[in-house]
C-alpha cells in the first residue's frame, strides 16, 4: 500500500510538481526498498487496524482526540492492542477512542508556547523537520495550514502517524521517512518551516540552519526550537560525553549565540520569543514509553543540573525569516597598503 501518494497529490496541487519525482525516488529507496528489520513488523500492525465508521476528530485541543459513536468494545480492544504494539509513544497526548495515549512528552505544552508567536498558519504550506509521529502536524492543520509535511527518519514515528491516520484520514498531513539532508537542494517551497528538538542532535549546526533556509520560500518563516544554556553571545556548551543520559547531543548555545548563528546563516528578523526550563510535567514517565525519563536524568539532590553535573534542559524558541531577496555578502574594498616613502 502506498501511504504517501495522496499527500504528494495534495502537495502537487500546491505547486510541488517539480519536486515530486525526487520525493518518489527517495521514498522508493528509503521505504519501499528498506531493509530495516522493524519495518515489516510495523507494517503488519497497520494492516491489523480495523476500519471504524463515523469517526470525528478534534485536532485543535491539547489531547488530540479521535472518537466514534459507533465504537464497540471488541473494535476498541483490537485497536488498543495494535497501538500498544507501536510502543514506545514518545510524543502525544492523544485520545484514540477509549485509549488515552499519555505519551512521554506532553507536546501540547510546547505547542502552547510556540503558537502565540507564529505568523498565521492559515493557507500556508508547512514543513515540520523531525516531526515525530505528527502530533504538532495535527495541531498545525487545526490552525489552518493548507498542507503539513512532516519528515522524520524514525520508521516507528512514521508508522505511529500512519496508524492514527487510519482514522483521521487526511491527505493534507503526512510524515515522510526522510531527513532534512536528503531533501532536494534549494527547494524554496515551504512558507513555514519548523525545526523543533533537532538542532542539538546535529554535528554541524550551520549546515542544519543552511539546509532549513534552502527549503523556505523567500520571506518564509523559520521556527527553531532547541536546547540552550544561559549566557551571552559567546556561550556554547558542547557536552564531551552524555547530556541528560543522551549520547547524541552536540551544540547547546545560549539563545543570544543562536541568534547570531541564524544571522550568520543569512536569516533576518531574528528573535528569541520564549525560553524556559523543561519541567517534569512536560517530559515524564509513561506507561506508553516504559523506562526512564526526565526525572531520572536530573540530579537527585538539585533539579538545576543533570545527572552528569551539566545545566538542566532549557529550551528556547527562535523565529526568523529568509530574506525576500538573497542578500549577497558585502564586498570589502581593501585599500592597498601604503608604501612607506624613502
Ligand atoms: N536529520 C534529521 N532530519 C529530520 N529529522 C531528524 C533528523 N535527525 C533526527 N530527526 C528526528 O528528530 C526528532 C527529534 S525529537 C523532537 C520531536 C519533535 N519535533 C518535538 O519537538 O517534540 C527530540 C526530542 O524529543 O528531544 C526525532 O523524531 C528524530 O528521529
Amino acid at each position: 500500500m502506498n501511504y504517501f501518494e495522496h499527500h504528494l497529490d495534495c502537495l502537487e496541487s500546491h505547486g510541488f510538481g517539480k519536486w515530486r519525482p525526487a520525493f518518489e525516488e527517495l521514498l522508493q529507496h528509503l521505504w519501499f526498498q528498506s531493509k530495516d528489520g522493524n519495518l515489516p513488523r510495523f507494517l503488519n500492525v497497520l494492516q491489523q487496524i480495523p476500519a471504524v465508521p463515523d469517526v470525528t476528530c478534534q485536532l485543535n485541543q491539547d489531547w488530540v482526540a479521535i472518537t466514534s459513536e459507533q465504537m464497540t468494545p471488541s473494535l476498541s480492544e483490537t485497536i488498543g492492542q495494535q497501538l500498544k504494539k507501536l510502543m514506545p509513544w514518545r510524543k502525544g497526548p492523544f485520545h484514540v477512542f477509549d485509549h488515552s495515549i499519555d505519551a512521554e512528552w506532553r507536546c501540547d505544552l510546547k505547542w502552547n508556547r510556540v503558537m502565540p508567536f507564529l505568523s498565521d498558519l492559515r493557507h500556508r504550506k508547512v514543513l515540520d523537520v523531525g516531526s515525530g509521529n505528527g502530533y504538532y502536524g495535527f495541531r498545525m492543520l487545526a490552525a489552518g495550514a493548507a498542507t503539513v509535511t512532516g519528515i522524520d527518519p524514525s520508521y516507528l514515528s512514521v508508522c505511529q502517524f500512519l496508524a492514527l491516520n487510519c482514522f483521521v484520514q487526511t491527505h493534507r498531513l503526512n510524515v515522510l521517512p526522510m531527513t532534512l539532508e536528503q531533501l532536494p537542494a534549494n527547494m524554496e517551497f515551504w512558507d513555514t518551516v519548523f525545526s523543533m528538538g533537532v538542532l542539538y542532535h546535529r554535528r554541524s549546526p550551520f549546515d542544519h540552519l543552511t539546509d532549513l533556509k534552502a527549503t523556505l520560500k523567500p520571506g518564509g518563516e523559520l521556527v527553531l526550537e532547541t536546547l540552550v544554556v544561559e549566557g551571552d553571545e559567546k556561550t556554547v556548551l558542547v557536552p564531551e560525553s552524555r547530556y541528560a543520559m543522551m549520547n547524541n547531543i552536540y551544540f547547546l548555545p545560549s539563545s543570544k549565540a543562536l541568534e547570531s548563528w541564524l544571522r550568520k546563516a543569512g536569516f533576518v528578523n531574528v528573535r528569541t520569543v520564549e525560553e524556559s526550563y523543561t519541567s517534569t510535567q512536560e517530559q515524564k514517565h509513561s506507561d506508553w514509553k516504559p523506562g526512564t525519563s526526565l526525572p531520572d536524568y536530573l540530579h537527585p539532590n538539585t533539579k538545576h543540573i543533570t545527572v552528569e553535573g551539566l545545566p538542566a534542559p532549557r529550551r528556547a524558541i527562535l523565529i526568523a525569516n529568509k530574506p525576500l531577496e538573497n542578500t549577497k555578502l558585502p564586498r570589502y574594498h581593501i585599500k592597498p597598503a601604503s608604501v612607506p616613502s624613502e
Side-chain angles (χ1 to χ4, degrees), residues 91 110 130 136 152-153 179-181 196-198 200 202 315:
K91 304 291 165 175
K110 188 189 287 188
Y136 299 100
D152 202 300
T179 64
L180 174 65
E181 303 76 62
M196 303 196 291
V198 182
Y200 48 83
R202 305 302 305 154
R315 289 172 172 259

Side-chain angles (χ1 to χ4, degrees), residues 19 83 96 112 123 152 223 330:
W19 294 287
L83 294 176
V96 186
N112 291 337
H123 315 300
D152 202 300
V223 182

Side-chain angles (χ1 to χ4, degrees), residues 12 15 20 22 44-45 47 55 70-71 79 95 102 118 131 151 199 203 225 259-260 265 281 294 299:
E12 191 163 342
R20 185 171 183 152
N44 189 43
V45 173
Q47 273 151 22
V55 170
Q70 308 288 323
M71 187 46 53
I79 291 168
H95 283 306
D102 190 5
L118 302 178
S131 59
I151 54 170
L199 184 87
R203 285 165 196 253
E225 192 264 4
E259 285 178 14
S260 91
Q281 280 77 49
L294 183 59
H299 198 280

Side-chain angles (χ1 to χ4, degrees), residues 38-206:
N38 290 310
L39 189 54
R41 181 163 59 84
F42 299 152
L43 292 176
N44 189 43
V45 173
L46 297 181
Q47 273 151 22
Q48 306 299 318
I49 292 183
V52 177
D54 296 335
V55 170
T56 307
C57 302
Q58 279 167 307
L59 309 180
N60 62 346
Q61 50 190 31
D62 292 347
W63 283 73
V64 166
I66 301 169
T67 52
S68 169
E69 300 271 303
Q70 308 288 323
M71 187 46 53
T72 63
S74 89
L75 257 186
S76 173
E77 196 188 330
T78 311
I79 291 168
Q81 283 164 355
Q82 300 313 318
L83 294 176
K84 288 211 172 91
K85 289 186 195 163
L86 294 178
M87 286 196 336
W89 286 78
R90 298 196 65 236
K91 304 291 165 175
F94 300 98
H95 283 306
V96 186
F97 310 112
D98 304 336
H99 308 284
S100 298
I101 306 183
D102 190 5
E104 181 190 15
W105 282 87
R106 285 287 307 251
C107 297
D108 51 311
L109 300 181
K110 188 189 287 188
W111 181 247
N112 291 337
R113 290 196 297 275
V114 169
M115 177 66 185
F117 300 103
L118 302 178
S119 293
D120 192 344
L121 284 181
R122 276 178 295 174
H123 315 300
R124 288 171 91 97
K125 293 171 291 177
V126 175
L127 176 69
D128 185 10
V129 175
S131 59
N133 61 24
Y135 173 88
Y136 299 100
F138 287 118
R139 303 301 305 269
M140 293 166 196
L141 268 198
T147 64
V148 182
T149 306
I151 54 170
D152 202 300
S154 151
Y155 289 123
L156 178 62
S157 300
V158 174
C159 290
Q160 287 176 351
F161 168 76
L162 293 174
L164 297 168
N165 207 32
C166 288
F167 312 118
V168 180
Q169 300 207 336
T170 178
H171 301 325
R172 286 164 51 217
L173 165 65
N174 211 321
V175 175
L176 309 180
M178 50 187 72
T179 64
L180 174 65
E181 303 76 62
Q182 288 165 329
L183 298 192
N186 292 321
M187 289 195 64
E188 302 211 322
F189 176 72
W190 278 283
D191 302 303
T192 302
V193 173
F194 289 82
S195 164
M196 303 196 291
V198 182
L199 184 87
Y200 48 83
H201 288 313
R202 305 302 305 154
R203 285 165 196 253
S204 171
F206 278 95

